């Protein structure tokens, strides 16, 4: 059998063996797994609801209305932009009232690259979700009247991890009218910046970061839950007099 034929057969065999469980999109800016174009827009109240594991293979996934992912994990290949009064919800039960409820105790959101950005009046909700940021991912969450809910899984190998980031870009958070951060945010190579909104805000989160920077007219109280925190053992204690 010619070598080229063998190589093709082997490649096809590998492709079949490693077929992705995530539904893939098509062409012309439309993602069949969503049943919708890469831009979610339309009249007020327009909502797309997607169930199961999904790969969003869009250069830029723009949410101007409501996009709800429930009952599965999500992979984003490019930018994720939530603007205007749009809502992006992951691992959310669409039958519950806003800001919904977790559809299961654990989920994964994998961001392969690009910017993850939320406008001030937009909302991002990650219920019981561990997010992974690649080295080329950046985060920008503007403050305002929107909602930011990001809670770590309650079960599985990633509990209580809310974020694992390999990016060195600044991760920007800001005050929201409603905000809930819970779990461990692991950003060892970058600065996490928080811009205050004139109010005292408390989060049940633990930040393991290169640098945590707080600015603006406000206070951020970091109070992680004891049973949901990562502890660093003291290997030696010495009294200094």
């Amino acid at each position: 059998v010619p070598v080229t034929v063998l190589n093709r057969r082997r490649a096809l065999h590998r492709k079949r063996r490693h077929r992705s469980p995530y539904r893939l999109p098509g062409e012309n800016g439309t993602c069949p797994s969503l049943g919708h174009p890469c831009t979610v827009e339309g009249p007020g109240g327009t909502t797309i609801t997607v169930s199961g594991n999904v790969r969003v293979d869009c250069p830029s996934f723009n949410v101007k209305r409501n996009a709800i992912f429930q009952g599965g994990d999500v992979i984003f290949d490019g930018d994720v932009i939530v603007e205007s009064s749009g809502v992006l919800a992951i691992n959310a039960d669409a039958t519950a009232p806003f800001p919904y409820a977790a559809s299961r105790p654990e989920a994964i959101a994998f961001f392969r690259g690009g910017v993850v950005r939320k406008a001030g009046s937009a909302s991002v909700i990650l219920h019981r979700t561990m997010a992974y940021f690649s080295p080329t991912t950046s985060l920008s969450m503007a403050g305002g009247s929107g909602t930011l809910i990001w809670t770590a899984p309650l079960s599985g190998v990633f509990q209580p991890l809310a974020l694992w980031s390999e990016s060195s870009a600044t991760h920007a958070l800001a005050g929201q009218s409603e905000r809930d951060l819970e779990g461990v945010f692991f950003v060892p190579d970058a600065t996490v910046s928080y811009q205050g909104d004139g109010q005292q805000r408390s989060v049940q989160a633990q930040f393991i970061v290169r640098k945590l920077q707080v600015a603006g007219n406000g206070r951020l109280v970091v109070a992680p839950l004891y049973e949901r925190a990562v502890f660093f053992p003291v290997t030696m204690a010495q009294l200094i007099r």
Side-chain angles (χ1 to χ4, degrees):
V1 179
V3 174
T4 55
V5 175
L6 278 176
N7 289 339
R8 289 174 182 174
R9 287 179 178 175
R10 289 169 181 167
L12 179 60
H13 179 64
R14 287 195 298 269
K15 183 177 181 180
R16 286 174 177 171
R17 287 180 55 194
H18 300 288
R19 184 172 294 168
S20 172
Y22 295 86
R23 292 170 289 163
L24 301 179
E27 301 176 351
N28 301 322
T30 298
C31 190
S33 61
L34 304 179
H36 200 282
C38 290
T39 297
V40 181
E41 58 186 349
T46 298
T47 301
I48 65 168
T49 303
V50 185
S51 299
N53 296 331
V54 179
R55 177 182 172 188
V56 182
D57 189 14
C58 297
S60 182
F61 182 55
N62 297 275
V63 181
K64 299 181 180 180
R65 293 305 182 194
N66 306 317
I68 303 175
F69 296 85
Q70 61 182 9
D73 302 327
V74 188
I75 296 174
F76 295 98
D77 278 2
D79 297 338
V80 178
I81 311 296
V82 189
E83 50 191 325
S84 184
S85 57
V87 176
L88 172 65
I90 296 176
N91 193 30
D93 181 357
T95 64
F98 183 86
Y100 318 114
S103 60
R104 59 178 186 160
E106 57 174 314
I108 299 172
F110 193 104
F111 297 88
R112 300 183 65 186
V115 61
V116 180
R117 186 169 70 234
K118 184 191 82 66
S121 58
S123 297
V124 171
I125 300 167
L126 288 79
H127 282 306
R128 302 304 171 196
T129 298
M130 190 284 288
Y132 169 84
F133 284 2
S134 76
T136 57
T137 302
S138 62
L139 176 70
S140 178
M141 299 286 184
S145 59
T147 295
L148 175 59
I149 297 177
W150 192 342
T151 58
L154 292 175
S155 62
V157 296
F158 292 118
Q159 67 162 321
L161 184 63
L163 171 64
W164 179 290
S165 175
E166 298 189 8
S167 172
S168 59
T170 297
H171 294 48
L173 302 171
Q176 313 286 326
S177 61
E178 183 176 353
R179 186 195 60 256
D180 182 11
L181 301 180
E182 186 273 333
V184 179
F185 290 76
F186 184 72
V187 190
D189 297 325
T191 295
V192 173
S193 67
Y194 174 80
Q195 184 70 31
D197 59 353
Q199 304 291 326
Q200 177 170 305
R201 303 291 184 180
S202 179
V203 295
Q204 293 179 330
Q206 180 183 21
F207 295 96
I208 303 175
V209 301
R210 184 178 183 87
K211 182 179 180 181
L212 180 62
Q213 185 177 53
V214 179
N217 184 22
R219 295 182 180 180
L220 179 66
V221 179
V222 180
L225 298 174
Y226 181 85
E227 65 276 12
R228 300 272 287 166
V230 174
F231 294 91
F232 298 89
V234 178
T235 57
M236 181 181 67
Q238 181 178 5
L239 178 62
I240 300 177
R241 299 182 180 180

